[in-house]
Amino acid sequence: MSDQLEHYFTSNRQAHLEELSQFLRIPSISVGTEHKEHIRKAAAWLADSLKSGGMEHAQLLETGGNPVVYADWLHAPGKPTLLIYGHYDVQPSDPDDRWDSPPFEPTIRDGKLYARGATDDKGQLFIHMKAVAALLATEGKLPVNIKWCIEGEEEIASKHLFALLEKEAEKLQADAVVISDGPMQERGVPSILYGLRGLCGFQLDVTGPRHDLHSGLYGGGVQNPIFALSELLASMKNNEGTITIDGFYEGVEPLSEADRERFTTLKHDDAKVQRDLAVNALFGEAGYSFLERTTARPTLEIHTITGGFQGEGIKPIVPSSASAKLSCRLVDQQDPDRIFELIERHIELHKPAGVEVKLTLLVKGKPFRVSTDNPYIQAAARAYEAGFGASPVFVRAGGSIPIVDSFSRLLEAPVVLMNFGLPDENLHAPNEHFHLENFDLGLRTVCHFVRLVGAP
């Protein structure tokens, strides 16, 4: 880090935090329609801020929903182009009475900035904005070309971004996509995500008689939809945690020695998880550790079961219907559409007599994985070493971010997931906050990354 750049960050720190606070005061909640005005205010604020930081062509790209903010700086001929993605929408703040300070009045306490959106994702996005602006201000140019794609619907599953990527693929074309929208492994231990699981969520409805029946008159004589649903659910997984849907594991690659070594280096404490969850045992697919099961292996989980009388006491009926909501986390080459077809076939083959079944796809997303040997990933690792003074760990995440695969596939570019948040920062919960230590280190890390990518 040059003395000039270090002086810039030190002397402008308070101004940067005040500017970030302006951004955080905008309640850009994307759930529902109540905050449409604030959504557009946040998008306009971003465009103005990018422009004041030296970016060009700052504009709002209309999507049919909330606008996407685009800007660029393309004056480094022959150098790579980075597309920086983030989102300006936030989750609702409720329950507001659980916050120690108002959710849209940013407050600094104990070295942490408290506000809705502080870590998810305004604070982390702001790091990139100010790092790029700092390089321009101190050096008059950038060592790479930069594009921005900042959406306002991430918290509602990026409803319109997929179509925009297809429509604007040429405008957004880049050599790599950079995203900071999640936690590091832990404080002082930066991490780079090289894998995300895909998703296939669906609802299973089972219907029997045209209305609820008196169990004394009809019990034992007609199929009970709850029993039928229970049979179907039980047929999908055995007592060793293996999913028994024929063809489900097609496209799942065996864990390599390198993958398993990375899991070992994380030094995960299974016993602590068991104690924290207050369960008498952990359970999952045989032959795999807890970390492997929850990040690198596919799953099938039941989220909701409904049917029959739900009130206090008992209502002795044979219910007319029952339903369940489930989802599968997917890895490697598993495709959510193919998985849904396999589940449909399994349900049809195992459907008990006396009921009808209906399967409805609710949500889907493909898994994502990038080689840790990719030069952009390696540049991120070296940047963390310079910025944080610590080598990052390479991790696979159990969650799903469908838009990451879309970026990789439509733009044919690697995605670099380098995060600056921490796991305990209450994203989506009351008292969301962002550690300012990571804000400071993140600024320097991004500068190192940009320079490494643009190096001859």
Side-chain angles (χ1 to χ4, degrees):
M1 183 70 63
S2 69
D3 291 342
Q4 187 180 16
L5 197 56
E6 187 63 44
H7 175 73
Y8 180 90
F9 283 133
T10 302
S11 60
N12 285 281
R13 187 176 191 266
Q14 188 58 39
H16 286 165
L17 292 178
E18 289 175 1
E19 188 176 350
L20 174 56
S21 294
Q22 292 175 13
F23 191 20
L24 291 168
R25 288 190 185 99
I26 305 172
S28 46
I29 299 167
S30 54
V31 175
T33 60
E34 179 183 354
H35 292 276
K36 286 292 184 183
E37 176 186 349
H38 298 124
I39 284 285
R40 296 201 73 88
K41 182 178 180 180
W45 186 95
L46 274 173
D48 289 342
S49 181
L50 288 168
K51 190 183 302 182
S52 67
M55 296 297 102
E56 301 172 340
H57 308 115
Q59 59 191 282
L60 305 190
L61 303 179
E62 299 300 336
T63 66
N66 298 336
V68 167
V69 181
Y70 174 85
D72 61 34
W73 188 93
L74 306 175
H75 301 292
K79 295 295 186 178
T81 298
L82 298 178
L83 176 67
I84 301 174
Y85 163 85
H87 65 92
Y88 62 85
D89 64 318
V90 299
Q91 283 283 331
S93 58
D94 61 309
D96 288 359
D97 60 358
R98 299 292 297 275
W99 288 76
D100 295 331
S101 53
F104 294 104
E105 284 298 331
T107 304
I108 295 177
R109 298 193 299 274
D110 301 321
K112 306 168 189 174
L113 177 59
Y114 286 81
R116 171 59 85 228
T119 188
D120 181 24
D121 175 45
K122 292 180 177 179
Q124 298 198 59
L125 169 64
F126 194 74
I127 285 175
H128 289 278
M129 294 169 60
K130 290 306 154 186
V132 170
L135 287 170
L136 265 178
T138 57
E139 300 176 9
K141 61 180 180 179
L142 297 174
V144 299
N145 301 292
I146 295 286
K147 296 179 180 180
W148 302 84
C149 177
I150 308 171
E151 70 158 319
E153 296 185 340
E154 193 275 344
E155 300 293 2
I156 52 174
S158 301
K159 290 181 178 180
H160 295 90
L161 185 58
F162 302 95
L164 181 78
L165 289 182
E166 292 181 333
K167 177 183 176 183
E168 301 286 0
E170 184 175 351
K171 177 191 284 286
L172 299 173
Q173 191 59 54
D175 295 289
V177 181
V178 182
I179 301 176
S180 299
D181 186 18
M184 305 192 315
Q185 186 67 15
E186 58 182 272
R187 185 177 182 182
V189 184
S191 55
I192 297 176
L193 284 175
Y194 70 98
L196 293 162
R197 293 196 287 190
L199 182 64
C200 177
F202 56 95
Q203 179 167 321
L204 174 58
D205 295 301
V206 178
T207 57
R210 70 176 64 183
H211 53 73
D212 294 347
L213 302 175
H214 190 292
S215 64
L217 298 177
Y218 293 96
V222 295
Q223 180 66 267
N224 185 312
I226 295 180
F227 268 115
L229 175 63
S230 300
E231 285 184 37
L232 286 171
L233 297 177
S235 73
M236 297 182 190
K237 188 186 287 189
N238 65 23
N239 58 10
E240 293 185 343
T242 302
I243 297 164
T244 52
I245 296 166
D246 190 35
F248 183 86
Y249 290 99
E250 293 173 2
V252 178
E253 301 168 7
L255 289 179
S256 67
E257 289 185 12
D259 279 330
R260 294 204 129 160
E261 178 62 27
R262 291 190 190 100
F263 284 117
T264 301
T265 60
L266 295 177
K267 300 177 181 178
H268 190 266
D269 189 344
D270 286 11
K272 183 178 185 302
V273 173
Q274 185 176 327
R275 290 194 302 272
D276 290 346
L277 299 180
V279 294
N280 59 23
L282 299 179
F283 174 78
E285 188 181 6
Y288 298 93
S289 69
F290 177 84
L291 273 184
E292 290 168 345
R293 293 169 185 161
T294 55
T295 63
R297 295 294 295 173
T299 67
L300 185 149
E301 296 294 342
I302 303 166
H303 309 306
T304 307
I305 297 178
T306 59
F309 176 68
Q310 302 293 311
E312 185 178 351
I314 185 171
K315 183 179 182 182
I317 59 169
V318 176
S320 63
S321 64
S323 65
K325 293 181 180 180
L326 305 88
S327 74
C328 302
R329 300 287 177 170
L330 310 176
V331 300
D332 302 328
Q333 303 305 312
Q334 287 182 302
D335 180 83
D337 291 321
R338 174 61 176 163
I339 292 297
F340 188 68
E341 290 175 2
L342 294 174
I343 294 170
E344 282 184 313
R345 187 172 67 188
H346 179 92
I347 295 297
E348 191 60 35
L349 288 173
H350 292 80
K351 180 180 70 174
V355 294
E356 296 298 325
V357 297
K358 178 184 177 183
L359 206 60
T360 305
L361 181 65
L362 300 177
V363 63
K364 66 177 182 178
K366 291 186 176 182
F368 166 79
R369 194 172 175 186
V370 65
S371 170
T372 57
D373 294 328
N374 183 279
Y376 291 97
I377 299 295
Q378 288 298 309
R382 295 197 299 275
Y384 271 127
E385 290 171 1
F388 278 76
S391 298
V393 293
F394 293 94
V395 297
R396 294 173 70 165
S400 306
I401 310 177
I403 198 63
V404 172
D405 171 74
S406 296
F407 273 121
S408 176
R409 181 167 38 86
L410 293 174
L411 303 183
E412 297 182 342
V415 179
V416 183
L417 293 155
M418 49 190 306
N419 297 327
F420 301 106
L422 291 177
D424 62 353
E425 289 180 332
N426 289 22
L427 65 166
H428 291 200
N431 293 318
E432 179 182 349
H433 58 277
F434 191 32
H435 284 68
L436 294 182
E437 174 188 36
N438 280 6
F439 175 78
D440 295 328
L441 296 177
L443 287 168
R444 290 147 178 85
T445 300
V446 171
C447 287
H448 284 299
F449 176 71
V450 171
R451 282 177 164 171
L452 286 166
V453 170

